[in-house]
Amino acid sequence: MTEAPRVDTAQLLELLSVSLGVYYGDFTVAAASENLTASQGRALTVLRRGPAAMRALAATMTCDASNMTGIIDRLEKRGLVRREAAPADRRVKNVILTAEGERVTDAIRAKMHITQEGLAGLGADDQGALYALLERVFLTPPTA
C-alpha cells in the first residue's frame, strides 16, 4: 500500500481555498440558472437543513441582519420561503423553505456539474472518508 504524501497546513489551506473557489463558482452559476444570486441560493441551502430565525440565518451566512432581510424579502416574493412567528417568542420570525424552495435548492445542487462530477469520481470508500474528514474538521466542536 502506498503511503500518503505528507503535506503541511499551508498546503492544505491552499488546496482548500482552490476547492472552495471551484465549488463557489459552480454554485454561483447553478444559482444564476435559477435566477438567484449566490446569497439567495446560499440562504436556500442553509434553510434546506431546517427553519431558522432571521438573526441565526444572518449569523450563519455572516451578513448583516438588514442584508438578510432583503435576501429573504426577495425569496419570499418568489414563493421560495415564508416567515412565521416562532412559537416560543412571537417577536422572532423563523424562515421556512416552501416546497418550491426545496425544489429550487435541489435543482441548484443538481446543476453543480463540476462538483457532482468530482464527487462521482470518488469511490464509495473515498466519499465516506471525505465526508468523515469534512465533518470532523468543520462540524465537530473542538474539545477543551
Side-chain angles (χ1 to χ4, degrees), residues 26 109-121:
D26 200 19
R109 288 179 177 166
K111 292 176 182 177
M112 293 179 66
H113 302 297
I114 295 168
T115 304
Q116 295 284 352
E117 290 170 14
L119 294 173

Side-chain angles (χ1 to χ4, degrees), residues 57-80:
L57 191 56
T60 298
M61 292 183 55
T62 59
C63 71
D64 186 75
S66 63
N67 188 32
M68 191 78 259
T69 299
I71 291 168
I72 296 304
D73 285 348
R74 288 184 288 282
L75 292 173
E76 191 174 39
K77 194 176 286 190
R78 287 193 46 191
L80 303 177

Side-chain angles (χ1 to χ4, degrees), residues 24-130:
Y24 186 72
D26 200 19
F27 181 86
T28 300
V29 169
S33 76
E34 293 292 327
N35 297 312
L36 295 171
T37 66
S39 294
Q40 291 169 335
R42 185 158 179 249
L44 293 179
T45 299
V46 170
L47 291 169
R48 193 69 167 99
R49 298 179 216 145
M54 288 286 288
R55 187 168 304 283
L57 191 56
T60 298
M61 292 183 55
T62 59
C63 71
D64 186 75
S66 63
N67 188 32
M68 191 78 259
T69 299
I71 291 168
I72 296 304
D73 285 348
R74 288 184 288 282
L75 292 173
E76 191 174 39
K77 194 176 286 190
R78 287 193 46 191
L80 303 177
V81 301
R82 71 177 189 281
R83 290 180 175 105
E84 338 191 299
D89 184 347
R90 310 253 337 134
R91 294 170 297 174
V92 174
K93 298 296 180 201
N94 286 332
V95 181
I96 299 161
L97 204 57
T98 64
E100 179 63 8
E102 289 178 10
R103 186 201 66 73
V104 169
T105 304
D106 292 345
I108 290 169
R109 288 179 177 166
K111 292 176 182 177
M112 293 179 66
H113 302 297
I114 295 168
T115 304
Q116 295 284 352
E117 290 170 14
L119 294 173
L122 298 175
D125 288 346
D126 285 341
Q127 285 185 2
L130 179 59

